[in-house]
Amino acid sequence: MSEASAPHAADRRELTAAQRNAVAELLRVSPVADELGRRFVRAGHELHLVGGSVRDALLGRLGDDLDFCTDAHPDETLRVLKGWAESIWETGREFGTIGAQRDGLRLEITTFRAESYDQVSRNPVVVYGTSLDEDLKRRDFTINAMAVSLPEHRFTDPHGGLDDISARMIRTPSTPGESFGDDPLRMLRAARFAAQLRFAVHPDVHRAMSEMSADLDRITAERIRDEFTKLLCGADPITGLRLLVDTGLAERFLPELTGLKLEIDEHAQHKDVYEHTLTVVENAVSYEEEGCDFILRMAALMHDVGKPATKAAAPDGRVSFHHHEVVGARLTKARMKAMRYPKEVIAKVTALVALHLRFYGYGRGEWTDSAVRRYVADAGDLLPRLHKLTRSDCTTRNRRKAAQLAADYDALEDRIARIAAEEDLARVRPDLDGNAIMELLGVPPGPVVGRAWKHLKEQRLEHGPLDRDAAEVELLRWARAEGLVE
């Protein structure tokens, strides 16, 4: 891409970095992209690198997934790819998309679209277009409405996307009202791109998001879930979350987040629970070791949603939220179920919300080794995330208090490590298995074995490991008390 590709000469110096990024990224993928472009040209068709791929190339972050558009219809695209692609898939065929793989790159080639939308569900109805300009005009934002034609690398930017990348701004090719009227999910996508790219939303876009937020109700829960997940996993989820609340979009699918704005946090009187929650999410992001941990971020976001329902004021004016973690876990489960998250994801996030307050009180010196074992056993494989969530929940500005909480949790982790070195905390199980229980008591499989197993597990948690002889003595003592043996 040359400097002459820039839409305005005055912008050349500002856009040089973006252009350098694009050239470097395109050179990396051009052996495959240009070869594919030549195959389409020989077959009498156009091929253009388009949308997010061009945007990411300009930002210097192009990955191994490339998006193309073409005037070729799916059957024609398949003929071009046959014998060249290492693998081909047609899962997106109904939307005009054919997928392929070549030299480690995943390619998606989509026929030009002149998309229209079902006026009830707002799901896209595929109508093939006839030109690149028509295809770019229907796209959601200007930063996604640019193309590089192949193999000649001609740059097309009819809506000023390059300017908006330079300004780090999210705008729509048509008016925001027209764009969001076509597909209300684009409002959520605007917040998602703000979170992913750290871009600002243009005031006109922000205004339309606020005025049209109720239109999001026409979108399926699954589509909303997928966009929200990407938002929460963005580089700056706080910006995206604030947009959702400020525009009223959160009220349409995650009202618990908006509801936190009115609640005062008893641990940090200087900020409301909403601000505290955003800080906890930000803290949780800082504890991630590699990539996005959605379960940790979602637990951080939902950890205090039980506070509005449990708020109580004492005669002295102090505010409390007793058992908000229990209520919050229930609300989290219901909300994530409504958003169609998988059961295993819901279970993990809900468990973290339920456990996030367990640590408070440890610093008073009341925890026995038994309490530590139960903490580890209840957390299970979520323990590393629980450590991070609990530390993230400390948002007090009181340095002495913050230091004390950090020291207390350091002490708890050290204590867990010490006990783990002496016992198998990763597998807190009874000292006798089901077969040993049945043999010793002379009983068949059934409820008695389950009750005995549960009793031995409680003994294991309370007292630590027992040797075989001691475990058998305890089992027989329990069985006699239950009238199972003489």
Side-chain angles (χ1 to χ4, degrees):
M1 187 187 305
S2 67
E3 285 195 350
S5 303
H8 302 295
D11 293 333
R12 287 178 183 173
R13 284 179 297 177
E14 297 176 17
L15 300 176
T16 298
Q19 291 173 332
R20 283 201 305 267
N21 285 334
V23 169
E25 295 295 85
L26 290 174
L27 285 174
R28 180 176 66 83
V29 302
S30 62
V32 170
D34 291 348
E35 185 178 345
L36 183 60
R38 286 190 288 269
R39 291 179 69 88
F40 271 85
V41 169
R42 285 197 297 268
H45 298 295
E46 304 172 27
L47 185 71
H48 312 274
L49 189 69
V50 73
S53 291
V54 177
R55 177 200 71 222
D56 288 345
L58 288 163
L59 292 170
R61 45 176 279 169
L62 182 61
D64 295 330
D65 295 337
L66 305 181
D67 295 324
F68 301 87
C69 66
T70 179
D71 60 339
H73 285 202
D75 284 342
E76 296 165 322
T77 295
L78 284 169
R79 284 195 287 272
V80 172
L81 293 173
K82 187 176 181 181
W84 177 82
E86 295 163 359
S87 60
I88 297 173
W89 55 92
E90 302 182 46
T91 51
R93 186 189 180 99
E94 63 177 311
F95 300 108
T97 300
I98 301 297
Q101 182 162 325
R102 173 84 177 197
D103 293 349
L105 298 175
R106 288 172 56 89
L107 321 171
E108 288 198 344
I109 303 103
T110 302
T111 305
F112 288 152
R113 298 265 281 272
E115 205 163 70
S116 62
Y117 290 82
D118 181 279
Q119 295 303 305
V120 177
S121 69
R122 298 294 180 178
N123 287 325
V125 177
V126 175
V127 178
Y128 293 144
T130 58
S131 71
L132 175 63
D133 285 346
E134 186 179 23
D135 183 273
L136 295 179
K137 184 179 179 180
R138 72 162 184 88
R139 292 181 178 266
D140 52 6
F141 304 110
T142 60
I143 58 174
N144 296 330
M146 298 175 286
V148 175
S149 301
L150 300 169
E152 67 270 32
H153 290 192
R154 184 181 71 255
F155 180 61
T156 301
D157 180 22
H159 304 288
L162 194 54
D163 282 338
D164 288 336
I165 282 181
S166 178
R168 306 185 70 81
M169 183 65 65
I170 297 172
R171 289 191 308 114
T172 54
S174 57
T175 68
E178 290 174 326
S179 182
F180 298 155
D182 280 343
D183 185 3
L185 187 68
R186 288 174 172 173
M187 295 184 286
L188 189 51
R189 284 171 62 83
R192 189 251 286 188
F193 282 123
Q196 284 186 329
L197 304 177
R198 301 182 187 272
F199 279 22
V201 170
H202 191 277
D204 291 345
V205 173
H206 192 289
R207 187 179 308 111
M209 290 167 68
S210 299
E211 293 172 352
M212 302 176 67
S213 60
D215 287 4
L216 194 65
D217 295 349
R218 299 173 182 160
I219 303 300
T220 63
E222 290 82 1
R223 293 182 74 203
I224 291 174
R225 174 202 63 206
D226 291 345
E227 285 297 328
F228 175 73
T229 300
K230 293 174 184 176
L231 182 158
L232 194 57
C233 278
D236 181 16
I238 307 307
T239 292
L241 293 170
R242 287 193 187 279
L243 269 171
L244 295 182
V245 172
D246 294 346
T247 59
L249 287 168
E251 191 65 33
R252 315 314 306 184
F253 70 96
L254 192 61
E256 293 83 0
L257 178 58
T258 304
L260 293 175
K261 293 197 74 170
L262 303 178
E263 303 306 320
I264 303 300
D265 181 71
E266 81 277 21
H267 295 309
Q269 297 283 349
H270 61 280
K271 62 179 74 173
D272 64 21
V273 178
Y274 171 71
E275 292 295 336
H276 163 74
T277 295
L278 295 184
T279 302
V280 174
V281 173
E282 192 170 33
N283 290 344
V285 172
S286 72
Y287 279 115
E288 290 174 341
E289 296 166 5
E290 184 177 350
C292 170
D293 185 344
F294 171 78
I295 290 170
L296 175 62
R297 293 191 187 194
M298 190 65 176
L301 182 67
M302 302 297 284
H303 80 286
D304 274 351
V305 296
K307 284 187 172 179
T310 57
K311 180 181 178 181
D316 63 1
R318 291 183 61 82
V319 176
S320 65
F321 304 93
H322 294 306
H323 305 301
H324 75 266
E325 73 280 13
V326 177
V327 175
R330 185 174 70 246
L331 293 173
T332 297
K333 182 178 181 179
R335 178 56 55 199
M336 293 187 71
K337 183 177 180 181
M339 293 176 71
R340 304 291 193 271
Y341 279 101
K343 290 181 180 179
E344 61 272 17
V345 174
I346 296 174
K348 290 178 180 179
V349 175
T350 301
L352 286 170
V353 172
L355 289 168
H356 85 273
L357 212 59
R358 179 81 70 87
F359 161 73
Y360 290 95
Y362 177 81
R364 294 195 295 265
E366 300 170 356
W367 281 35
T368 62
D369 283 357
S370 172
V372 174
R373 293 188 195 97
R374 292 177 188 278
Y375 186 78
V376 173
D378 289 346
D381 60 5
L382 293 173
L383 185 63
R385 287 189 175 108
L386 183 57
H387 288 331
K388 295 173 183 177
L389 178 60
T390 303
R391 290 184 182 276
S392 298
D393 196 22
C394 176
T395 63
T396 178
R397 292 179 181 175
N398 184 317
R399 292 186 179 181
R400 183 191 60 78
K401 185 176 180 180
Q404 185 60 58
L405 286 170
D408 287 346
Y409 210 82
D410 287 343
L412 175 58
E413 289 200 50
D414 289 344
R415 192 170 175 189
I416 290 172
R418 175 182 60 77
I419 297 175
E422 300 168 358
E423 309 172 16
D424 186 8
L425 282 185
R427 295 175 64 253
V428 178
R429 301 175 62 82
D431 300 281
L432 299 175
D433 62 18
N435 290 328
I437 290 171
M438 288 186 288
E439 181 181 352
L440 195 61
L441 298 184
V443 297
V448 169
V449 179
R451 286 163 51 205
W453 191 91
K454 184 177 180 180
H455 173 76
L456 289 175
K457 181 177 180 180
E458 286 297 313
Q459 293 299 307
R460 172 72 166 79
L461 289 168
E462 188 66 31
H463 303 293
L466 300 176
D467 61 31
R468 175 79 181 205
D469 290 342
E472 291 182 355
V473 169
E474 177 57 33
L475 176 62
L476 291 173
R477 187 201 63 76
W478 171 84
R480 282 192 293 271
E482 293 289 313
L484 299 173
V485 297
E486 296 182 358

